[in-house]
Amino acid sequence: MTPRQKKLLPKLVFAIFAIAVFAASYYLGNQYARPLVTDIDAAILPRPEKIPPFHLTDKNGAPFTRQSLENFWNFLIVGNLQEPGCDRLLRTYVSAWNNLAHKPELQKTTRVVFIQKNRPAEKPEQLKPAIEFYNPAFTALFGGREETQRLVRQLGLHDEAASCKVAALISPDGYLLALFTKTADPAGIARDLQYFN
């Protein structure tokens, strides 16, 4: 081996090593990358907002507060369970939840929290079978008119037009992250949720 070849050998080894590192980084970066923001149908809030304190009652008659949202990805939906539009939306979210079956940990920590806009016409204990008809992992809440309205205003869901047409995504640490307004594609909802996870 000539002196010149001896000088080129370390440079060649370094170049091959650099190419291998670049290729591995590119592969891993693409495999675990989040989708581009332009690929998300949800309306992402520019700055996540902490949910204010509230006190409602859940489908089991137990208190449900801001702390009850913790450790779950919560899709908050506001409406009346008797409305046909709410039935369609809840069925869409059942399908979205089922689309997470390949990610069991995420599926286990994802739920729909349905907020009954007005005190239910039926007895509160009838809310449990009504919401669990869709999925036992889902819950329904009710409470006084003022308390409910204050919470839905904070979520940006107080408008009549938002009734059972928009879902607010609340993170496991209690922040409002996005509003899901496109409700026809369960696979898209499941895909968008994975962006945040």
Side-chain angles (χ1 to χ4, degrees), residues 24-146:
S25 299
Y26 181 79
Y27 171 76
L28 291 173
N30 282 325
Q31 182 162 351
Y32 297 106
R34 289 182 170 184
L36 296 174
V37 174
T38 56
D39 294 340
I40 302 295
D41 287 333
I44 301 171
L45 274 64
R47 190 181 66 213
E49 296 180 23
K50 188 79 171 171
I51 296 299
F54 65 90
H55 300 281
L56 295 174
T57 304
D58 74 7
K59 65 184 180 181
N60 298 312
F64 195 100
T65 66
R66 179 172 66 185
Q67 288 71 34
S68 305
L69 296 170
E70 293 176 0
N71 304 316
F72 288 95
W73 289 98
N74 301 276
F75 285 104
L76 270 65
I77 297 172
V78 178
N80 288 309
L81 279 173
Q82 298 83 10
E83 294 175 11
C86 292
D87 177 64
R88 281 190 299 274
L89 185 63
L90 287 166
R91 289 178 188 275
T92 299
Y93 274 85
V94 168
S95 295
W97 191 85
N98 290 339
N99 268 281
L100 296 171
H102 68 287
K103 299 223 174 217
E105 284 305 309
L106 179 57
Q107 187 184 51
K108 192 168 79 174
T109 59
T110 299
R111 67 179 174 185
V112 166
V113 178
F114 187 89
I115 302 171
Q116 187 75 19
K117 260 197 320 197
N118 303 312
R119 193 173 266 294
E122 68 272 8
K123 294 178 180 172
E125 58 267 17
Q126 291 175 304
L127 281 178
K128 181 178 172 77
I131 195 67
E132 289 186 355
F133 165 79
Y134 298 100
N135 188 323
F138 295 178
T139 194
L141 308 178
F142 68 94
R145 185 177 174 84
E146 284 182 32

Side-chain angles (χ1 to χ4, degrees), residues 1 5-21:
M1 192 178 284
Q5 288 174 328
K6 286 182 181 177
K7 286 182 180 179
L8 284 177
L9 186 61
K11 290 178 182 177
L12 183 62
V13 170
F14 179 75
I16 291 171
F17 177 74
I19 291 169
V21 168

Side-chain angles (χ1 to χ4, degrees), residues 172-186:
D173 52 356
Y175 281 88
L176 173 60
L177 300 179
L179 296 175
F180 282 66
T181 56
K182 295 190 177 179
T183 58
D185 180 18

